[in-house]
Amino acid sequence: IEITAFPDNGQSISGMTIKEVVEECKLFYLAGTETTSVLLTWRMIVLSMYPEWQDHAREEVISLFGKEKLEYEGVNRLKTVTLILYEVLRLYSPAAAFFRKTYKEIKIGGITYPAGVLIELPLLLMNHDPDIWGRGVHEFKLERFTNGISQASKNPSAFLPFSWGPRICIAQQFALLEAKMAFCTILQCFEFELAPSYTHAVDNIRLMRPMHGAQIKIRAI
Ligand code: HEM
């Protein structure tokens, strides 16, 4: 994208308008902050519910890095932490749905849609569909991802926490790396458990988040 010059009316002569650039910046900010923080929150909640997996994950992190700063090579060797990340993304995907609008008549799955139809892909429902994930779909089961994402479900393309196609999350790789690094750093420094006041419920306003907040007791180690 080339932005060449900006006359007084704020429009570029070629490329994007100032308004479009501002909108893109806002999108980056909004799409990039709460998604990651809400995912981190769910992981702390889930691993508070499954302390044995919290211990396994911490052992893995300590065995690779000790209490030292993380480095990129080691992050790529994390197995348990990666399985936890995928399974939490499945159970509590920050994006519960995404939408597409037909811009011309199109046939999908034998049905013809006119232009202007809004189509919702209900990620939350897909991630909890026993026809896709089998029995125990609502359970936290890391084994399902042991042989990779494509083998985890009956449909190799069913796992879409970052969407798919031309509008796939532009930051997917960065977000996965960031999510692992932040989580590993927390595991290195803290043990955590749910506070008695925590009530498990999911809210879905814009993003999937804990409805009543995440009251977690944290202990430095
Ligand atoms: C766990 C973290 C994240 C998740 C689950 C996530 C998920 C998603 C999803 C599902 C979409 C597609 C929405 C659609 O198809 O309508 C999307 C788009 C996008 N995401 Fe992420 N995202 C995450 C982190 C980030 C981060 C850290 C950034 C930026 C630094 C970011 C920037 C974007 C942008 C700019 C788009 C729009 C791409 C486009 O429309 O071409 N995301 N994200």
Side-chain angles (χ1 to χ4, degrees):
I1 296 160
E2 197 180 324
I3 302 169
T4 42
F6 303 106
D8 290 343
N9 64 7
Q11 301 292 306
S12 63
I13 290 169
S14 68
M16 298 170 82
T17 63
I18 286 292
K19 188 164 182 289
E20 283 166 344
V21 173
V22 171
E23 291 301 320
E24 287 296 312
C25 292
K26 280 196 219 163
L27 177 62
F28 253 83
Y29 179 73
L30 293 172
T33 48
E34 281 193 69
T35 42
T36 312
S37 62
V38 90
L39 175 62
L40 192 56
T41 308
W42 280 122
R43 272 180 298 168
M44 291 185 71
I45 291 172
V46 171
L47 286 202
S48 297
M49 293 170 167
Y50 295 89
E52 66 284 11
W53 283 116
Q54 184 184 146
D55 292 343
H56 283 315
R58 185 173 298 102
E59 278 160 24
E60 180 177 61
V61 175
I62 300 288
S63 74
L64 280 169
F65 308 107
K67 294 260 185 154
E68 301 300 313
K69 206 172 150 205
L70 313 180
E71 37 82 23
Y72 184 72
E73 289 303 315
V75 172
N76 285 332
R77 293 208 300 277
L78 292 162
K79 290 201 174 68
T80 305
V81 167
T82 305
L83 296 181
I84 292 168
L85 175 60
Y86 290 160
E87 184 63 339
V88 173
L89 268 173
R90 182 187 71 84
L91 284 168
Y92 303 100
S93 174
F98 40 88
F99 301 86
R100 296 290 180 266
K101 194 171 179 183
T102 58
Y103 66 91
K104 61 175 185 182
E105 189 178 281
I106 186 170
K107 200 171 181 180
I108 308 172
I111 301 172
T112 304
Y113 299 89
V117 172
L118 198 62
I119 298 176
E120 177 180 356
L121 280 103
L123 204 53
L124 178 59
L125 299 186
M126 284 162 61
N127 288 349
H128 290 259
D129 185 343
D131 290 341
I132 298 176
W133 298 93
R135 287 172 56 212
V137 66
H138 303 305
E139 289 163 25
F140 176 71
K141 275 174 45 181
L142 299 187
E143 312 89 83
R144 64 177 101 241
F145 283 104
T146 310
N147 296 320
I149 287 174
S150 60
Q151 303 289 313
S153 68
K154 294 178 188 166
N155 181 336
S157 318
F159 187 60
L160 301 171
F162 294 96
S163 180
W164 195 248
R167 304 313 293 263
I168 193 170
C169 177
I170 200 168
Q172 176 178 1
Q173 295 308 329
F174 168 78
L176 286 172
L177 183 64
E178 183 187 36
K180 282 186 198 173
M181 294 192 82
F183 192 51
C184 288
T185 308
I186 290 175
L187 285 168
Q188 278 178 318
C189 304
F190 304 103
E191 283 175 350
F192 41 90
E193 61 180 306
L194 291 174
S197 55
Y198 175 75
T199 311
H200 193 63
V202 175
D203 204 357
N204 182 23
I205 300 172
R206 280 196 317 119
L207 288 178
M208 287 249 293
R209 60 183 86 236
M211 185 181 280
H212 307 292
Q215 296 80 18
I216 295 173
K217 290 199 277 182
I218 293 175
R219 193 169 41 252
I221 51 173

